[in-house]
Amino acid sequence: MNLYKYVSDKVNEKLGVAVNLESPRNREFGDFSTNVAMVNAKSAGKNPRELATEYVSKLAELDFVADASIAGPGFINIKLRDDFIWKNAAAPEHIATKKPMTIDMDYGAYNVAKSLHIGHLRTSIVGDTFNRIARFVGHKTFSWNHIGDWGKPMGLIIAWIERLHPELPYFRNDFDPKTQVDFEIDPVELNTYYPAASALAKTDPDFQARAQEIKARFQDGHPGYFALYEKFLKISLESMNNTVKRLNILPFDYDLGERNAAGYLDDVEKILRAKNMIYESDGAEVINVKRDTDTAPMPPYMWRDSRGADTYDSTDLAAVYCRKQKDNPDKIIYFTDLRQSLHFEQLFRAADMSGIYPYSQFEHIGYGTINGADGKPFKTRDGNAAGLDDILDMATAAVRERVTESGKELDNDTITAISLAAVKFNDLLHDVRSDYIFDPKSITSFEGRTGPYILYTAVRLNSILNKVQSSKFKVQKEYDMNTDERNLLIQIMDFERTVLTAFDNRATDLIANYAYDLCQLINTFYHNCPIMRDDVDDKTRAGRLHIVRIARDTLATAIDLMGLKVPREM
Ligand code: ARG
């Protein structure tokens, strides 16, 4: 049950006015409160307390209200009946939204032959959780891993391999695609090619020109370049798969990126030409996306660069066209670094102007940077920009250290699960748009707002439930709750609202914070309410086991939405 909505609807209906309902953290005076009497006093020609008195007597008639009282100048506090809470608190179920949407989500978006950088962490974690939330609340989603598999880096990598192994037949213009070439690329070495090539291109204009030429001919279908490309593409796709597994994110519905989109460029070009949207500028072909109302600079959208090659811009527009055809989505949502905001603004305008996809149905969720203690983008000890693997490795080392210190013995899978939870939970905890500081030590603490704390609480509940037979789970019709039990159940009944708000506000941090609050209430309950102790009577034990079970199911659902894995022990 969505407790807040239920109470809010009934109160609105009863009083016949719009009521702004609050649920205070401290429930000493009531479970909900409202300033409705103060808001409406003037128009009702009464003083607030007078009006509050009238409201309170009406509210007392609602069958779920135990007590409605006035506080201060006219606040109203509402206390719910215990039996109402007991009867309605339940484990969460999938929510069936009234208007299910089809949503294309573009996240991950890894690049061929480039190791994943720290930015790919946030797009993967936030995008995946948002995808799970959207599905949970009843929408149909398609996740797109818009792979960088077509642009400039391909030219650089092929040019680099040409430099290393000029004798390979791939570089001949008469290369026959049926040729078996005895040449293997080492996956670790592959990741060094792009950085090396792009560094060289900066200082060596000949190499730069060569890479550009190769890129253009590759895109035109040069058979040798293409055969070589397929070799390293395969390695990259495998490593992307490993990343998906390592991060425990859902498999992508489409691993189709720039190259796939390039197949739609001709169709899109026809549309653009028919609308006279492409014009020439400095040898390149561009689209003007400026509006009269713009105050900030709005550069043209690059359709084709001065060498006639496809661009990040053109393939992104073609990808929209492709998605419209394949999925016909009600929304297309992109999760990338905030620094790509201008690109997406241009893309949305170009798509809208060409009639390919309406501006209003696009969204770009731009995330902030992961920084080090110095407030600058996180670097590894040797001063390099941190990669995704570095981050996970650092978290794992920190967890291992803690575990050793505490004298516990946990197997590798458990340590991996804990470190992943530490990284993901910490990422989700922050507002997507803000930067945050990555500190392996603090995020791996077993106490406080951390992933390990969340898992620890789940493990604790599981271990209670694993010890009791299901026959003990006889749900009690009535149960006399204490404050800790009551508070926990009310939090459980706030889950549905939290997930819906997280979806509506595109705010994955709400789930993480909810999970933390839930865990705190669970642990208070655990400390104050013995379950299996001999002096606990059967009725109390059964009641508490019921609470444990629905608390566990609620927490497990939240954990699943965050893509964390609960280990057997901790
Ligand atoms: N591959 C790009 C990167 O690693 C992100 C692509 C985002 N998606 C898109 N449709 N442009 O930065």
Side-chain angles (χ1 to χ4, degrees):
M1 154 184 272
N2 183 339
L3 179 65
Y4 179 91
K5 185 171 184 323
Y6 181 87
V7 172
S8 179
D9 288 351
K10 296 280 180 195
V11 168
N12 276 300
E13 194 185 311
K14 191 75 187 174
L15 302 185
V17 287
V19 176
N20 166 31
L21 207 61
E22 306 259 350
S23 41
R25 280 186 94 81
N26 175 359
R27 303 190 187 284
E28 199 184 327
F29 303 107
D31 299 308
F32 291 96
S33 67
T34 171
N35 61 0
V36 62
M38 289 144 87
V39 171
N40 290 297
K42 210 167 180 178
S43 59
K46 297 184 174 145
N47 78 46
R49 280 194 73 97
E50 213 180 318
L51 186 59
T53 312
E54 280 172 30
Y55 283 162
V56 158
S57 60
K58 281 194 196 168
L59 292 175
E61 291 165 14
L62 290 168
D63 57 3
F64 59 85
V65 172
D67 182 43
S69 58
I70 307 171
F75 283 109
I76 297 174
N77 288 317
I78 301 169
K79 196 152 193 77
L80 304 179
R81 286 176 63 114
D82 284 4
D83 56 348
F84 168 79
I85 294 171
W86 182 255
K87 258 190 243 125
N88 289 290
E93 282 166 26
H94 274 257
I95 303 166
T97 136
K98 279 192 213 84
K99 283 192 203 140
M101 290 188 280
T102 300
I103 309 173
D104 274 6
M105 299 198 191
D106 181 312
Y107 58 90
Y110 312 132
N111 300 314
V112 166
K114 269 165 89 177
S115 45
L116 298 183
H117 57 75
I118 197 167
H120 291 119
L121 194 67
R122 294 198 84 178
T123 173
S124 308
I125 295 173
V126 175
D128 179 63
T129 286
F130 191 66
N131 186 13
R132 292 173 192 250
I133 292 174
R135 289 182 184 179
F136 189 82
V137 303
H139 299 294
K140 172 143 193 67
T141 66
F142 294 102
S143 53
W144 286 78
N145 180 18
H146 185 76
I147 308 175
D149 55 0
W150 194 240
K152 186 171 125 205
M154 303 309 113
L156 283 165
I157 291 157
I158 298 171
W160 187 257
I161 299 177
E162 180 186 48
R163 227 177 118 88
L164 296 176
H165 309 282
E167 73 288 354
L168 287 173
Y170 298 119
F171 308 110
R172 290 206 295 263
N173 286 338
D174 60 352
F175 178 81
D176 176 358
K178 286 195 280 295
T179 320
Q180 289 292 331
V181 185
D182 184 21
F183 172 66
E184 290 309 324
I185 303 174
D186 176 71
V188 178
E189 218 183 295
L190 175 62
N191 284 336
T192 64
Y193 290 177
Y194 176 74
S198 90
L200 179 64
K202 286 200 182 89
T203 55
D204 180 344
D206 289 344
F207 180 72
Q208 161 88 346
R210 180 73 190 139
Q212 272 161 347
E213 190 192 331
I214 288 180
K215 174 193 159 188
R217 291 172 66 193
F218 161 69
Q219 290 183 348
D220 274 345
H222 185 288
Y225 297 163
F226 204 79
L228 182 56
Y229 163 83
E230 291 207 296
K231 267 222 151 101
F232 57 78
L233 177 67
K234 192 163 160 263
I235 298 173
S236 287
L237 290 176
E238 259 162 41
S239 103
M240 285 177 210
N241 261 332
N242 291 337
T243 303
V244 166
K245 282 202 203 105
R246 188 168 185 198
L247 290 177
N248 193 38
I249 63 175
L250 299 173
F252 288 100
D253 295 308
Y254 299 103
D255 283 302
L256 293 179
E258 297 170 1
R259 173 154 76 105
N260 166 68
Y264 296 82
L265 283 169
D266 287 349
D267 290 355
V268 174
E269 181 156 359
K270 272 189 206 113
I271 298 172
L272 299 174
R273 296 246 180 247
K275 294 202 151 96
N276 265 326
M277 284 175 61
I278 300 178
Y279 70 95
E280 223 188 280
S281 164
D282 292 332
E285 288 180 333
V286 301
I287 301 169
N288 178 14
V289 289
K290 224 170 131 53
R291 291 182 187 147
D292 294 343
T293 48
D294 283 336
T295 47
M298 183 52 65
Y301 199 58
M302 181 72 63
W303 178 251
R304 204 168 266 135
D305 70 16
S306 51
R307 282 181 184 74
D310 310 337
T311 61
Y312 185 58
D313 289 1
S314 65
T315 45
D316 241 345
L317 183 55
V320 172
Y321 179 84
C322 161
R323 290 169 195 183
K324 168 81 188 157
Q325 293 205 329
K326 273 198 196 316
D327 304 336
N328 193 22
D330 299 298
K331 277 192 179 300
I332 304 181
I333 308 183
Y334 298 84
F335 297 80
T336 79
D337 194 307
L338 258 178
R339 285 171 288 192
Q340 292 200 37
S341 300
L342 176 63
H343 165 75
F344 286 106
E345 179 61 26
Q346 294 177 301
L347 167 65
F348 301 168
R349 290 182 182 196
D352 191 70
M353 288 160 59
S354 56
I356 288 174
Y357 199 77
Y359 184 89
S360 61
Q361 287 168 233
F362 281 113
E363 275 174 52
H364 174 228
I365 298 185
Y367 49 79
T369 320
I370 305 180
N371 292 328
D374 58 358
K376 302 216 178 77
F378 194 88
K379 296 225 160 62
T380 55
R381 223 170 266 174
D382 55 16
N384 290 319
L388 188 146
D389 287 334
D390 295 322
I391 295 288
L392 295 178
D393 291 346
M394 268 184 278
T396 307
V399 170
R400 210 177 283 285
E401 202 171 307
R402 268 180 203 283
V403 170
T404 316
E405 266 168 23
S406 68
K408 283 184 190 167
E409 269 180 48
L410 298 178
D411 60 30
N412 279 336
D413 286 351
T414 305
I415 289 183
T416 308
I418 299 172
S419 14
L420 183 67
V423 170
K424 290 179 89 168
F425 184 80
N426 179 58
D427 196 294
L428 291 167
L429 192 60
H430 295 90
D431 180 285
V432 190
R433 287 151 201 90
S434 57
D435 300 346
Y436 69 78
I437 289 175
F438 175 75
D439 169 22
K441 215 171 161 79
S442 67
I443 64 167
T444 52
S445 167
F446 280 39
E447 279 147 42
R449 246 172 238 272
T450 67
Y453 175 70
I454 305 292
L455 294 190
Y456 187 76
T457 309
V459 168
R460 176 172 260 176
L461 297 184
N462 282 339
S463 88
I464 301 172
L465 292 174
N466 290 342
K467 275 187 218 125
V468 290
Q469 276 112 27
S470 48
S471 60
K472 289 255 161 62
F473 285 133
K474 246 184 104 223
V475 181
Q476 309 285 303
K477 271 222 175 73
E478 284 158 26
Y479 178 73
D480 197 7
M481 294 177 287
N482 67 26
T483 315
D484 297 323
E485 294 163 336
R486 194 177 184 279
N487 284 344
L488 175 52
L489 292 183
I490 290 180
Q491 172 76 1
I492 289 171
M493 294 167 91
D494 203 29
F495 181 73
E496 191 172 319
R497 171 172 73 135
T498 306
V499 185
L500 288 168
T501 317
F503 177 77
D504 289 342
N505 298 359
R506 316 290 188 246
T508 40
D509 55 313
L510 292 182
I511 300 289
N513 282 296
Y514 173 89
Y516 174 72
D517 292 342
L518 178 65
C519 287
Q520 284 217 303
L521 292 168
I522 289 171
N523 287 313
T524 307
F525 159 81
Y526 181 87
H527 283 292
N528 298 342
C529 309
I531 302 172
M532 305 313 282
R533 226 165 61 188
D534 288 345
D535 59 341
V536 178
D537 63 75
D538 283 351
K539 196 169 160 69
T540 307
R541 178 172 301 135
R544 289 183 177 163
L545 281 174
H546 174 65
I547 297 174
V548 169
R549 190 165 56 154
I550 61 177
R552 193 271 309 267
D553 291 349
T554 308
L555 181 57
T557 307
I559 285 177
D560 193 55
L561 291 176
M562 295 187 282
L564 316 183
K565 277 194 273 197
V566 181
R568 233 186 311 249
E569 55 162 354
M570 256 178 91

